[in-house]
Amino acid sequence: MKRTLFFAAAILLSAAAFAQSKVYFTRDITPEALVKIYQAVGRKAEGRVAVKISTGESGGNNYLKPTLIRPLVEEVDGTIVECCTAYGGSRQDVTKHWATVHEHGFDSIAAVDIMDEFGQMRIPVQDRRHIKYDIVGDHLGSYDFMINLAHFKGHAMGGFGGVLKNASIGVASTAGKAYIHSAGFTDDPAFCWQHIDDQDGFLESMAAAAQAVHNWFGHGERILYINVMNNMSVDCDCDAHPADPKLKDMGILASTDPVALDKACLDLVFNHKATPGDDNKPLIERINRQHGTYIVDYAQQIGLGSMKYELVTVK
């Protein structure tokens, strides 16, 4: 009997180890394609739906445009949600952040909620290697479902930004961003930048925070992830003056597994054959310089998702 149970457990573990997550892909980057790929995933957004985007720094031009995302937001009757930054600029101050939201036109297509405008709260983290909790905007508790709608591109500190960053840094309050960036050293944005010498600790903290948000929404049952691979500068939308993209647009990808999704996007970038006017090398160099791919390795290690995936083309 014990031997039978042992082999049964071994089979289950083996199956789990080789399990693949589905990642849906379309080369089209249109409002219609965004709705279609959401529908293809097969997880309906219900109840009070948060659509988490980056509203982009004032002066930047690579963020996901309202004209692109509007039909999806309307499809799910969603509220666009954001949180303030920790580095100054046009989005750390709430008043300036609202001005940026208006400047970029997001408040003209849907209701917008800056989730930490009036306060913040702590939510549990499963992996406590660095951070002991995740500090998020307290309005997160107002939503039943989240669509994590990320712009996949480079990032000065993380190497790249996709759905893992959008769930972690993106959902964190100003204090929460400081806490993640300093790998749990401080939640004070005035001092966190003096304690950012542990790059892997930062990436591990991002993975832990992303898992906290994933778990908050029914351990992943009430959240869906989308990466839009356009305007892929080496710089993030948090940069008011990002470098011009050297890599051509690739498409939209979606999944219920954030690890598989970011890994699929990384694979598209790293396996791309560069041609004149379509160069992946600058983005790869930015990612490698920051050890950026490590976040998906660590996120898989802590059980957030799988780096093994099946790419399903949506036509």
Side-chain angles (χ1 to χ4, degrees):
M1 180 65 176
K2 288 182 179 179
R3 180 174 293 184
T4 301
L5 290 172
F6 172 80
F7 282 116
I11 290 169
L12 287 172
L13 287 171
S14 177
F18 291 96
Q20 288 185 326
S21 296
K22 286 188 177 181
V23 176
Y24 297 86
F25 170 64
T26 177
R27 294 192 183 278
D28 296 332
I29 305 178
T30 64
E32 296 77 18
L34 192 54
V35 173
K36 186 179 291 187
I37 204 165
Y38 153 71
Q39 294 171 339
V41 175
R43 174 171 289 174
K44 187 176 181 181
E46 296 180 318
R48 297 163 296 178
V49 179
V51 181
K52 173 62 184 77
I53 65 164
S54 168
T55 48
E57 198 69 15
S58 180
N61 55 7
N62 292 329
Y63 57 89
L64 300 181
K65 302 301 188 291
T67 50
L68 175 64
I69 72 170
R70 180 173 188 166
L72 175 61
V73 177
E74 291 178 343
E75 173 80 8
V76 301
D77 192 22
T79 298
I80 294 170
V81 302
E82 252 282 42
C83 281
C84 291
T85 64
Y87 55 80
S90 71
R91 293 181 299 148
Q92 182 172 348
D93 175 88
V94 173
T95 301
K96 290 181 180 179
H97 196 163
W98 275 117
T100 302
V101 167
H102 184 69
E103 174 190 334
H104 291 170
F106 291 107
D107 56 348
S108 69
I109 67 165
V112 179
D113 181 7
I114 298 176
M115 293 191 291
D116 62 338
E117 180 175 9
F118 301 109
Q120 60 190 20
M121 65 180 183
R122 296 178 179 182
I123 63 173
V125 293
Q126 185 173 318
D127 174 59
R128 294 164 60 87
R129 183 171 185 177
H130 302 284
I131 60 174
K132 308 310 177 189
Y133 40 78
D134 189 20
I135 312 171
V136 301
D138 63 2
H139 285 186
L140 185 69
S142 300
Y143 299 99
D144 304 305
F145 193 102
M146 175 173 281
I147 294 180
N148 180 329
L149 179 55
H151 175 210
F152 187 92
K153 70 289 180 191
H155 189 268
M157 296 188 67
F160 79 96
V163 291
L164 291 172
K165 176 182 176 292
N166 198 37
S168 55
I169 295 295
V171 176
S173 66
T174 295
K177 288 175 171 63
Y179 192 51
I180 294 167
H181 272 291
S182 66
F185 186 87
T186 180
D187 62 6
D188 188 338
F191 297 101
C192 77
W193 308 112
Q194 302 168 23
H195 303 281
I196 55 171
D197 54 347
D198 183 2
Q199 178 64 10
D200 282 358
F202 163 53
L203 296 172
E204 290 166 355
S205 298
M206 276 208 295
Q211 185 178 45
V213 173
H214 186 84
N215 289 347
W216 179 262
F217 287 100
H219 289 270
E221 293 298 318
R222 293 183 282 108
I223 190 167
L224 181 147
Y225 300 90
I226 302 174
N227 269 333
V228 181
M229 300 185 74
N230 70 343
N231 298 320
M232 289 180 285
S233 169
V234 298
D235 295 317
C236 181
D237 298 338
C238 58
D239 192 324
H241 304 287
D244 291 336
K246 303 299 182 185
L247 180 62
K248 288 186 177 179
D249 298 349
M250 290 186 170
I252 305 174
L253 294 86
S255 182
T256 57
D257 182 339
V259 180
L261 179 54
D262 272 358
K263 180 64 165 66
C265 293
L266 287 168
D267 287 346
L268 284 175
V269 171
F270 276 77
N271 294 329
H272 184 70
K273 292 184 179 179
T275 57
D278 185 19
D279 190 1
N280 57 340
K281 292 183 179 64
L283 183 52
I284 290 174
E285 289 171 0
R286 171 62 58 88
I287 294 169
N288 287 339
R289 188 188 76 188
Q290 300 303 111
H291 197 201
T293 60
Y294 176 59
I295 190 172
V296 294
D297 295 282
Y298 191 76
Q300 176 180 255
Q301 181 181 324
I302 63 176
L304 178 51
S306 172
M307 290 195 295
K308 297 178 181 178
Y309 61 89
E310 173 191 359
L311 200 63
V312 180
T313 300
V314 177
K315 297 181 180 178

